[in-house]
Amino acid sequence: MKKKKSSFMQSMKAVMWGFLGVRKKAGLQEDVASLSFVHIIIAGIVGALIFMAVLLLIVKAVVSH
């Protein structure tokens, strides 16, 4: 069986599910088989930066009122 190449957006989706902590085992197994290690690292860094930016915006909004 041929491995399916994954896109960066599929890696981002997998990382976002990981941040939420909800993932079906079948989805995890599919991700492990098809995702690129480099894509996962980059997606994790991008996801963490987005998460921090959202937290900073929430804190600024709360503190300013």
Side-chain angles (χ1 to χ4, degrees):
M1 185 177 256
K2 193 175 183 180
K3 265 191 178 180
K4 185 180 110 180
K5 280 290 205 181
S6 66
S7 70
F8 182 71
M9 290 310 292
Q10 288 171 320
S11 297
M12 278 299 294
K13 182 179 171 185
V15 167
M16 291 304 149
W17 279 117
F19 279 170
L20 290 174
V22 289
R23 190 74 171 139
K24 291 184 179 179
K25 189 167 182 150
L28 174 66
Q29 295 300 329
E30 181 181 320
D31 289 344
V32 168
S34 67
L35 294 179
S36 166
F37 181 72
V38 175
H39 283 174
I40 293 293
I41 297 298
I42 294 169
I45 292 169
V46 169
L49 290 173
I50 291 170
F51 180 71
M52 288 188 304
V54 168
L55 285 180
L56 284 172
L57 288 173
I58 291 170
V59 168
K60 282 186 178 188
V62 169
V63 170
S64 69
H65 287 101

